[in-house]
């Protein structure tokens, strides 16, 4: 697949800042922000809800078929809390956002998560579940882990990505 612009995957535990960072980044770059949770709902890429875990049961094949035409020409910032469902070939860069436990606690509480759901997500962040998933799913040189605790972190992550995209485009022109 030839792309003139790269695709970036922003992943991380819920509450680490994927959507806020993706929105800012996509706007700066003039890229499309693909919020995968919204695509799952709007295109019905699920097989109902898992009531125990309070999440959708993903229909992976339908999700991939739905997203393929959206990502094929590049220029996408893809935002999702899990990263092993996508074909490896889609992404030129994978950014894993991290947050400290106390920060995540406050953000998930503010979001109105149940104690159970909040605890599961905090445990997942502590256990580095998404980082490991990213390292297993993509080439190690394209996976980067960054802190997302403060607004300064977010700004620096966005700036870093903007520079990276400029370099990518210079190399792939
Ligand atoms: P996600 O999409 O990963 O679930 P969000 O982008 O929705 O996370 O962020 C969750 C909350 O945390 C929002 O209120 C957002 O404004 C805040 N937030 C996210 N990242 C940061 C950051 N780096 N610094 C300060 N607040 C942040
Ligand atoms: Mn989000």
């Amino acid at each position: 697949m030839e792309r003139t612009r790269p695709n970036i995957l922003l992943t991380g535990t819920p509450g680490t800042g994927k959507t806020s960072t993706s929105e800012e980044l996509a706007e700066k770059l003039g890229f499309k922000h693909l919020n995968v949770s919204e695509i799952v709902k709007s295109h019905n890429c699920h097989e109902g809800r898992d009531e125990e875990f309070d999440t959708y049961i993903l229909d992976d094949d339908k999700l991939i078929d739905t997203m393929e035409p959206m990502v094929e020409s590049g220029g996408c910032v893809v935002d999702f809390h899990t990263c092993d469902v996508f074909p490896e070939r889609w992404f030129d860069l994978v950014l894993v956002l991290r947050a400290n436990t106390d920060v995540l606690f406050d953000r998930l509480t503010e979001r109105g998560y149940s104690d159970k759901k909040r605890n599961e997500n905090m445990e997942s962040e502590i256990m580095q579940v998404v980082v490991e998933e990213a390292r297993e799913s993509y080439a190690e040189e394209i996976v980067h882990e960054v802190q997302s605790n403060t607004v300064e972190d977010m700004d620096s992550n966005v700036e870093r990505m903007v520079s990276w995209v400029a370099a990518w485009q210079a190399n792939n022109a």
Side-chain angles (χ1 to χ4, degrees):
M1 181 166 54
E2 285 286 320
R3 288 191 280 268
T4 54
R5 297 188 301 172
N7 285 325
I8 299 170
L9 173 60
L10 253 112
T11 191
T13 307
T16 49
K18 300 178 296 294
T19 301
S20 330
T21 306
S22 297
E23 278 170 358
E24 197 176 318
L25 181 61
E27 196 194 314
K28 282 235 162 109
L29 292 169
F31 279 26
K32 267 184 298 182
H33 171 206
L34 301 181
N35 185 326
V36 179
S37 300
E38 284 173 9
I39 295 172
V40 168
K41 284 183 251 171
S42 62
H43 290 74
N44 259 293
C45 303
H46 60 82
E47 291 153 348
R49 286 190 65 81
D50 180 327
E51 296 305 338
E52 192 192 341
F53 289 99
D54 190 21
T55 55
Y56 284 98
I57 302 159
L58 270 192
D59 180 340
D60 296 19
D61 292 338
K62 189 168 179 197
L63 179 65
I64 301 315
D65 289 346
T66 302
M67 287 183 65
E68 184 85 59
M70 302 177 183
V71 300
E72 70 187 350
S73 57
C76 294
V77 179
V78 174
D79 157 6
F80 202 37
H81 59 265
T82 179
C83 61
D84 61 358
V85 294
F86 308 115
E88 196 180 347
R89 64 188 158 78
W90 278 7
F91 299 108
D92 302 288
L93 190 76
V94 177
L95 200 65
V96 185
L97 299 184
R98 303 298 311 273
N100 294 337
T101 318
D102 53 333
V103 169
L104 206 58
F105 181 93
D106 290 344
R107 288 182 192 163
L108 296 179
T109 303
E110 179 141 343
R111 189 174 272 185
Y113 274 22
S114 65
D115 286 4
K116 179 169 179 274
K117 197 168 178 185
R118 185 184 58 211
N119 289 343
E120 276 160 11
N121 281 298
M122 287 177 58
E123 188 173 326
S124 162
E125 179 63 10
I126 292 163
M127 300 296 287
Q128 317 202 52
V129 171
V130 183
V131 179
E132 282 182 17
E133 195 180 280
R135 300 224 179 267
E136 279 163 21
S137 307
Y138 300 94
E140 86 182 287
E141 62 273 19
I142 77 161
V143 178
H144 298 270
E145 194 185 327
V146 296
Q147 292 299 316
S148 177
N149 294 306
T150 62
V151 173
E152 291 72 30
D153 287 342
M154 196 188 306
D155 290 345
S156 101
N157 293 335
V158 169
E159 285 314 313
R160 187 170 155 195
M161 292 299 100
V162 168
S163 308
W164 179 88
V165 168
W168 189 95
Q169 282 172 330
N171 283 331
N172 291 270

